[in-house]
Amino acid sequence: MTVQMSIDKQLPSTRTTELDSICLKAEVIPVIAIQRIEDAVPLARALFEGGLSVLEITLRTDCALEAIKRINEALPQASIGVGTVLTPAQYRQAEEVGADFVVTPGTTEALYRYGVTSPLPMLPGVATVSELMTGWQYGYRRFKFFPAEASGGVKALKSFAGPIPEARFCPTGGIGINNAEDYLALNNVMCVGGSWLTPKSLVEAEDWEAIRRLAREVADRFHH
Ligand code: 3PG
């Protein structure tokens, strides 16, 4: 009882309004793993200029933090999420590089607790109703649904809306140009994310113009 009350007092820290304003800017969020630091700014710029202004840079590569710093400096109008955050220590690194929000693939009690105290809002990753209920208890109302396709996709999200209709999601994992629409049509989906905006072959070829065109096509098709 005491624990629950102290958590409830901190509910505003979970920053639902802030997450909503970020997600409203982007029906599609590119999920990016920067392999070569020199790609960071031109790649992010191509996506941004193509019309995708919210970018998730994952901590899956050695140069990720440096990449986020550089992108943040070069594109101050973009909203930068730090993805694949697994621990509170990585969450703190995201605060230090000046990101706008944090995304986690799954959740731990430690992350849920840390997120409530952090100045940076978190989009916690959930795949089940139980994970969602745990996040809900901590005050989280906005979630990443991951891995979306493997965890039941559109049907699972429709089912989540039964017991917890106020929760909103950004599904990622197995989403592409052909099924994004099915997700975006759901009332409890704010936006979708995925790596399909940064095809490996185009990044390796440094074909930023092709990535800009792809981003533009996606932005024109899915944005409000
Ligand atoms: C993520 O972390 O959101 C995923 O790796 C993106 O999944 P995708 O590669 O299937 O788009």
Side-chain angles (χ1 to χ4, degrees), residues 8-111:
D8 283 347
K9 273 191 206 146
Q10 299 175 52
L11 291 187
S13 314
T14 50
R15 307 282 186 92
T16 301
T17 317
E18 216 170 319
L19 285 167
D20 282 350
S21 66
I22 292 169
C23 292
L24 259 179
K25 283 195 281 180
E27 293 209 332
V28 178
I29 301 180
V31 176
I32 309 164
I34 304 282
Q35 305 292 343
R36 297 176 301 202
I37 189 65
E38 58 274 19
D39 293 342
V41 171
L43 173 58
R45 179 169 283 130
L47 292 164
F48 182 79
E49 288 176 359
L52 303 177
S53 60
V54 183
L55 311 174
E56 178 186 332
I57 317 292
T58 62
L59 296 183
R60 294 180 199 175
T61 59
D62 292 343
C63 63
L65 287 168
E66 178 60 23
I68 293 160
K69 271 191 216 158
R70 292 190 191 185
I71 294 168
N72 210 20
E73 269 173 41
L75 299 168
Q77 293 116 309
S79 294
I80 311 290
V82 179
T84 322
V85 168
L86 306 176
T87 62
Q90 288 180 321
Y91 203 136
R92 277 190 291 276
Q93 289 178 321
E95 291 166 6
E96 283 158 19
V97 291
D100 296 290
F101 63 108
V102 157
V103 189
T104 71
T107 44
T108 62
E109 292 277 348
L111 275 171

Side-chain angles (χ1 to χ4, degrees), residues 105-188:
T107 44
T108 62
E109 292 277 348
L111 275 171
Y112 272 144
R113 281 182 191 282
Y114 187 79
V116 169
T117 66
S118 172
L120 218 53
M122 167 168 73
L123 207 50
V126 298
T128 67
V129 176
S130 297
E131 291 156 355
L132 183 54
M133 285 167 64
T134 306
W136 196 264
Q137 260 193 316
Y138 280 97
Y140 294 90
R141 300 292 181 263
R142 304 293 180 254
F143 300 87
K144 164 166 166 154
F145 175 48
F146 177 79
E149 282 289 285
S151 307
V154 164
K155 281 188 182 167
L157 284 165
K158 279 188 185 164
S159 303
F160 290 171
I164 312 192
E166 298 91 347
R168 296 282 178 275
F169 300 89
C170 171
T172 80
I175 298 178
I177 194 125
N178 295 323
N179 59 358
E181 197 99 59
D182 302 337
Y183 283 92
L184 290 168
L186 301 178
N187 286 336
N188 60 353

